[in-house]
Amino acid sequence: MNYPVKAFQELVDNLHKLPGIGPKTAERLSLFILGMDPEEARKISDAIGKLHERVKRCPVCFNLSDGGECPVCLDEKRDHSVVLVVEEAKDVLAIERAGSFSGVYHVIGGTIRLASGIGPEKLNIDGLIARVRNGGIKEIILATNLTHEGNLTAMYIKKELDGIDVEISRIASGIPIGTELEFADGVTLTESIKGRVHLTKE
Amino acid sequence: MNYPVKAFQELVDNLHKLPGIGPKTAERLSLFILGMDPEEARKISDAIGKLHERVKRCPVCFNLSDGGECPVCLDEKRDHSVVLVVEEAKDVLAIERAGSFSGVYHVIGGTIRLASGIGPEKLNIDGLIARVRNGGIKEIILATNLTHEGNLTAMYIKKELDGIDVEISRIASGIPIGTELEFADGVTLTESIKGRVHLTKE
């Protein structure tokens, strides 16, 4: 749809760039913003406009921070000897939301994708190796995504850590909790059987 | 969910104010914006920030405009003798999208809601009456919403136009096209039977 009013058209077009925002939703949001108190609309604009300059990266784990170390790294109650390695900061948010992990993180910033020119040197892997070499870390949990690239990147990191005295683990793959077997894909089913956990008799 | 990074929290909270944007969607959009090219993010921010100052109202019909008369009022190919009266500019967008109306509009800016202190003097009704008195208008189509307030407002406008030589009509209420009768509400069914259209035998 083309709108006769340029500023309105621009907002619809810009909102339409966001994921999950179709043309109709973009129009509905634009009309809502137009109907808002201008001061409230200005707050949304400012929050977007200042995001990039105000959100920093933690110098230790590359998680989101206000500047300086992130709250997880600063938290003395967490177990700093267990480091969970993820691809992106959003993975940290997802795990923190689950609320069951008490160690710390390392965000590598993506996966190795040689075809797209992303080699390991473009990720925060050297920082991870240096962090482990510095000592005090007992276990590295590789929690990159369970995709082809995530697996390759995990294997690359495992190889880089060879010879350093640290336990290395990979998060388990298998059937999601609550899933019926008939709906699981074949690869997951196969992995789930290969990775079966033996139950000891009591 | 509370986020440890203030600027991120602010964006999530602000996006969550928009209709249909729940906390999870607000987080997903915020992460997406954080991952965008900063220049692209700035464009979204600007589009929101400048919306209120750049979107004006047409001095003739109060539809959205860039300043001066709106494109519909300026369009000489449209029938300026037929004026369709709607509550809000978004109604104009909906009717223009349907693409079958060739007259012009008058946006009154809401409905009379005495309980909320909105009397007819707060709406663009005087402008409509003056426009009709100026001459050149043959028909006024009252297209306020088919709600209690919309109906009352339409009736008020009809009364105000009493004694002026202009045809006045109200959009038809009834069963939406494509609806099965069993799913229509009782009031609509009753109105649809009362407002039945007689079919002439050929």
Side-chain angles (χ1 to χ4, degrees), chain A residues 174-196:
Chain A
I175 312 290
I177 306 296
T179 304
E180 296 184 33
L181 288 198
E182 63 172 316
F183 300 121
D185 66 287
V187 179
T188 302
L189 266 175
T190 306
E191 286 298 309
S192 159
I193 293 166
K194 273 205 286 184
R196 65 193 177 279

Side-chain angles (χ1 to χ4, degrees), chain B:
Chain B
M1 168 103 183
N2 286 321
Y3 301 96
V5 181
K6 194 160 161 274
F8 191 82
Q9 179 84 53
E10 274 181 27
L11 182 54
V12 173
D13 291 346
N14 270 292
L15 291 178
H16 184 24
K17 290 176 194 165
L18 297 175
I21 308 281
K24 277 216 156 186
T25 305
E27 177 189 298
R28 193 163 51 89
L29 292 176
S30 299
L31 283 165
F32 183 86
I33 293 169
L34 190 62
M36 280 176 106
D37 178 72
E39 193 47 48
E40 285 295 306
R42 167 67 56 190
K43 279 186 196 164
I44 301 178
S45 163
D46 282 354
I48 296 172
K50 292 176 183 164
L51 187 71
H52 280 84
E53 63 186 71
R54 284 167 57 194
V55 174
K56 310 289 182 195
R57 293 286 172 165
C58 171
V60 177
C61 75
F62 301 96
N63 185 16
L64 306 185
S65 92
D66 282 320
E69 289 189 28
C70 77
V72 176
C73 285
L74 288 173
D75 189 345
E76 291 181 6
K77 280 184 247 135
R78 299 189 72 129
D79 184 351
H80 289 250
S81 73
V82 178
V83 177
L84 190 133
V85 178
V86 292
E87 295 180 17
E88 306 284 359
K90 65 183 169 192
D91 303 321
V92 174
L93 291 178
I95 296 165
E96 288 296 290
R97 193 184 291 115
S100 53
F101 179 65
S102 60
V104 294
Y105 296 95
H106 195 92
V107 180
I108 58 171
T111 50
I112 299 169
R113 286 163 196 259
L114 294 178
S116 312
I118 303 174
E121 75 287 352
K122 297 217 173 150
L123 303 172
N124 307 319
I125 293 176
D126 287 349
L128 174 65
I129 309 298
R131 208 174 151 187
V132 179
R133 279 192 200 284
N134 271 345
I137 293 175
K138 282 194 230 145
E139 182 176 3
I140 294 289
I141 304 171
L142 298 168
T144 49
N145 289 327
L146 277 307
T147 57
H148 180 61
E149 290 85 0
N151 286 334
L152 279 182
T153 306
M155 288 312 104
Y156 176 86
I157 294 172
K158 181 181 172 298
K159 195 166 61 71
E160 290 292 295
L161 290 169
D162 254 8
I164 306 179
D165 181 27
V166 63
E167 197 180 317
I168 305 171
S169 60
R170 177 87 171 107
I171 50 168
S173 63
I175 312 290
I177 306 297
T179 304
E180 297 185 32
L181 287 197
E182 62 173 316
F183 301 121
D185 67 286
V187 179
T188 301
L189 267 175
T190 306
E191 286 298 310
S192 159
I193 293 165
K194 272 205 286 185
R196 64 193 178 279
V197 180
H198 290 279
L199 307 174
T200 49
K201 282 185 189 159
E202 290 192 16

Side-chain angles (χ1 to χ4, degrees), chain A residues 120-140:
Chain A
E121 75 287 352
K122 297 218 173 148
L123 303 172
N124 306 319
I125 293 177
D126 288 349
L128 173 65
I129 310 298
R131 208 173 151 189
V132 179
R133 279 192 201 283
N134 271 345
I137 293 174
K138 282 195 229 143
E139 182 176 2
I140 294 289

